[in-house]
Amino acid sequence: MKAVSLYRLQGQFEIAARQTERLREDEKMAGVTEQRRKAELSAARNDHRASMKALTKLDGLLEYLTKRTARRRLALAELSEEDERSPLRLPTER
């Protein structure tokens, strides 16, 4: 084998070794990024869960207030009907 061929092979080997090292570093960085993203996803899921819990509470409160308002409107309507049916009173009669 000629010296030129040996130098060429050595150069190719060194290039391949650098590329392999770069790929290993990229793999490590990808692993770190993956762990960071998993942590972010977990935090986002926890936030979403808390938001959904709060939304459920608000829905329940809205339903309660809607029912309560409906009962109050009914009571006010009944009072209005009673007032309309009763004879007019003079201010001194009240």
Side-chain angles (χ1 to χ4, degrees):
M1 202 175 214
K2 294 183 180 181
V4 174
S5 296
L6 285 174
Y7 286 125
R8 188 178 313 126
L9 285 175
Q10 184 179 2
Q12 290 174 352
F13 174 78
E14 289 172 359
I15 290 170
R18 282 193 301 267
Q19 186 177 11
T20 300
E21 185 60 32
R22 192 169 37 249
L23 289 173
R24 285 183 180 146
E25 288 176 15
D26 289 350
E27 184 179 27
K28 286 179 188 176
M29 291 304 296
V32 169
T33 301
E34 180 184 18
Q35 291 303 315
R36 189 179 318 124
R37 295 292 184 244
K38 283 182 179 180
E40 290 172 358
L41 179 59
S42 178
R45 283 181 174 153
N46 288 338
D47 288 348
H48 181 261
R49 199 173 296 119
S51 295
M52 292 305 294
K53 186 176 180 180
L55 180 62
T56 301
K57 285 183 180 181
L58 287 173
D59 282 343
L61 179 60
L62 177 62
E63 185 177 334
Y64 168 76
L65 290 174
T66 301
K67 288 178 183 177
R68 189 171 114 183
T69 302
R71 287 192 300 258
R72 284 184 175 183
R73 285 185 182 156
L74 180 61
L76 285 173
E78 289 174 358
L79 283 174
S80 293
E81 286 178 14
E82 287 177 13
D83 284 348
E84 289 174 4
R85 282 186 270 159
S86 66
L88 290 175
R89 297 182 189 168
L90 295 175
T92 58
E93 294 178 357
R94 288 187 183 174

